[in-house]
Each structure stands twice: as structure tokens, then as C-alpha cells.
Amino acid sequence: MKKHLRQTLLLSCAICIGLSAGAQQKKYPKPPALLANGYKLVWAEEFNSNGAPNPANWTYELGFERNEEYQWYQRENAWYEKGKLILEAKREKKANPNFKEGSSDWKKKRREADYTSASIKTQGLHSWLYGRFVMRGKIDIRDGIWPAWWTLGTKGSWPATGEIDIMEYYRKKLLANIAFMGADRKDAWFSTEKNIDSLGGQAWADQFHIWRMDWDENSIALYVDNQLLNKVSLNQLVNQNGTNINPFKQPHYMLLDLAIGGKQGGDPSKTTFPARFEVDYVRVYQK
């Protein structure tokens, strides 16, 4: 749902397997539960330096990107601070250098952006086929704010690339989504939505939480604080475009972004800024 507005299939799969075992500490690098079943840590970003994101791990999305979102993505809104990645959205004007009078293209018809924010990705630097992916973060759940941690396949054009939204939030909904190409070359979704108030609302959002994906040759399972939100068998995710390609049997790269408004994000006009998406760590385990 992060890549484009959902158009076709919406299937729910919400199976609870227990609530959070409690917050984990920054200096606890290898939680036993994550190393079970033969998993070993193969990549980690702990954000322990200060300054700009590590160029060996991250590149930037720049400008207007997708979903008619309001923000202009720029490098300046992402940095490391006190052991965390900060993605910060600001209410500020940014001239659109691609503006074209009379254009029908949403990326060109806006003379300026009213917000700036950041999106970083491992595309071209790091990608993974299968594994256990873990992120500890804190999200802003106020109106108009749209944070996400997600993956895209390295080959093909969306939605045939495949997309996994391990963490996505907007309009009081925490989402766990998996997308591929469905009938008529449109995006198809297996999607779970959980009302944020059922988790504890603002008090819940004021704390850090752990999102996790377990992805292997059989299925994809998405969790928050050890609570299973969505699980889908890979045999249900073959692209329906005649290629018989399963986009989840190829490497994926990851993205972290903080979007504002747009087709799904809601109305940010009464929200005070800046807004932040804070990430304590991202880790990838494989067998």
C-alpha cells in the first residue's frame, strides 16, 4: 500500500500469538528469540554515529515520489542522533524545480511543496532473499502522518516487483501488507489493518516497539511486539501477468520513510510540526 494506492484485492489475515514481551534495550544486540531456529545476524544498522545516514547502507529518495503525498523528500531531513535514525517532517515551503504551468502530472503541477521530509533505502547497496527482519522504532500517529518500513523486489516494475509493508501507519490504522501483480495488471493486496486505539493509542505510540518479518520459501509473516498481524503463503503471491513469476522469490531492498498526507495519509493541516519517525535499529537475520 506504500508504493501506490491500493486498487484491487484486500484480504485479511490477523492471527494473534501473544502480546509484547517488553521493550528491549539498545545494548542487547542478539535477542535469543530472534536467533532461534538457526537464524544468525547477517546485517545490522545500529545508527550509533552522528550525522548523515551511512552512505554504505543508504541512498535517498528525492522530491515528490508517490501517492500524491504532500512532502518534498530531501537529504537534510534524515540524520543519526544519540543512537537513533531520525526522519523528520517539517511544515516548510520548498520550490518545485519541475513545476510546469498547466501540467496534469501531480509531480509537475505543484508550484511548491508545503512540507519536507525524508526517505532512505538500501537499493543498489544491500538486498536480501529470505530472512528475519527486525526494526525497533517509534512512530508519530497524529493526523496526516504516514511512516513506513517496507521492501520492494530488485527486479521488475511495480507491482510485479512485489512489496512488503512490514510497518505502515496512517489515519489511526497500523497496517501489515503484501502486494503483487493481480488480474488486469493491477496491484493485488493481502492486507491487515489494526486500529491504533486497540493497541493503546497515544500512550502506545509514545513508546518504542519492535516490528518483525519472517520470510522464507514458504510464507511471509509480519509481527509487531511478537503479535502476528499477517501471514501469507508464497504460493498465493504469483504475479497474475502470465509470467508465472513469484516476486517474493527474489531479493528485496528496504525503505524507511516519513510521508505526509496524499492519497492515504490524511489531513495534516491541524498537526503541529516537526513530526518524527525514530528508529533505534534495523537488523537482518538469515539461516
Side-chain angles (χ1 to χ4, degrees):
M1 196 175 304
K2 187 62 200 169
K3 182 66 176 177
H4 286 287
L5 180 65
R6 173 176 46 190
Q7 293 177 329
T8 55
L9 187 62
L10 176 63
L11 298 177
S12 295
C13 175
I15 309 171
C16 297
I17 63 168
L19 298 177
S20 170
Q24 298 187 26
Q25 298 299 314
K26 178 73 171 177
K27 301 301 182 182
Y28 192 41
K30 295 182 179 181
L34 298 179
L35 292 175
N37 304 318
Y39 280 107
K40 297 180 180 179
L41 185 69
V42 297
W43 185 87
E45 174 62 275
E46 303 290 335
F47 309 114
N48 282 333
S49 60
N50 289 312
N54 184 350
N57 290 337
W58 307 101
T59 60
Y60 298 86
E61 293 191 301
L62 300 172
F64 292 131
E65 277 290 335
R66 62 185 70 85
N67 297 320
E68 301 184 25
E69 294 161 2
Y70 300 166
Q71 80 287 336
W72 181 267
Y73 281 137
Q74 57 184 17
R75 292 178 174 86
E76 298 92 322
N77 294 57
W79 66 89
Y80 297 177
E81 175 185 295
K82 297 180 181 179
K84 297 179 179 62
L85 167 69
I86 307 299
L87 301 181
E88 185 171 86
K90 300 178 181 179
R91 181 180 282 129
E92 60 180 353
K93 299 290 186 181
K94 185 76 174 186
N96 180 8
N98 302 313
F99 172 72
K100 184 177 180 180
E101 190 77 46
S103 175
S104 59
D105 183 341
W106 74 272
K107 294 183 179 182
K108 296 180 179 179
K109 68 182 181 181
R110 297 177 179 179
R111 189 180 299 272
E112 60 187 8
D114 294 318
Y115 302 86
T116 63
S117 192
S119 176
I120 61 175
K121 57 186 180 178
T122 66
Q123 185 179 20
L125 299 171
H126 303 283
S127 60
W128 304 269
L129 175 60
Y130 308 141
R132 175 168 284 169
F133 296 66
V134 183
M135 183 271 288
R136 183 174 186 262
K138 182 169 71 169
I139 62 174
D140 191 326
I141 64 168
R142 294 177 298 157
D143 291 346
I145 311 300
W146 187 354
W149 176 42
W150 50 301
T151 77
L152 290 171
T154 57
K155 294 181 180 179
S157 299
W158 192 90
T161 55
E163 173 182 336
I164 309 168
D165 302 326
I166 311 171
M167 185 283 294
E168 182 177 15
Y169 172 83
Y170 55 74
R171 290 186 290 148
K172 293 192 175 296
K173 295 180 291 187
L174 189 69
L175 300 106
N177 309 314
I178 302 167
F180 63 108
M181 181 172 281
D184 301 322
R185 305 185 69 84
K186 294 181 179 180
D187 46 314
W189 295 86
F190 286 84
S191 182
T192 294
E193 301 176 355
K194 195 167 188 67
N195 187 289
I196 201 70
D197 290 336
S198 72
L199 294 170
Q202 189 60 55
W204 185 92
D206 287 341
Q207 305 298 317
F208 280 84
H209 298 277
I210 295 176
W211 283 267
R212 181 176 114 221
M213 170 172 68
D214 286 353
W215 167 32
D216 60 26
E217 63 274 13
N218 298 312
S219 64
I220 299 168
L222 307 177
Y223 302 80
V224 62
D225 294 334
N226 289 328
Q227 179 178 341
L228 181 60
L229 300 177
N230 197 354
K231 185 173 183 178
V232 181
S233 298
L234 259 62
N235 61 17
Q236 297 178 268
L237 297 170
V238 176
N239 286 330
Q240 304 300 304
N241 57 357
T243 63
N244 203 38
I245 290 174
N246 190 315
F248 303 99
K249 294 186 177 182
Q250 67 162 330
H252 278 225
Y253 63 91
M254 71 173 68
L255 305 93
L256 290 158
D257 73 62
L258 181 57
I260 305 297
K263 289 184 175 180
Q264 298 282 56
D267 180 8
S269 61
K270 296 182 180 179
T271 298
T272 57
F273 283 80
R276 284 187 170 189
F277 175 17
E278 301 183 30
V279 183
D280 188 15
Y281 57 74
V282 179
R283 298 169 181 161
V284 179
Y285 303 79
Q286 289 181 324
K287 295 183 179 181

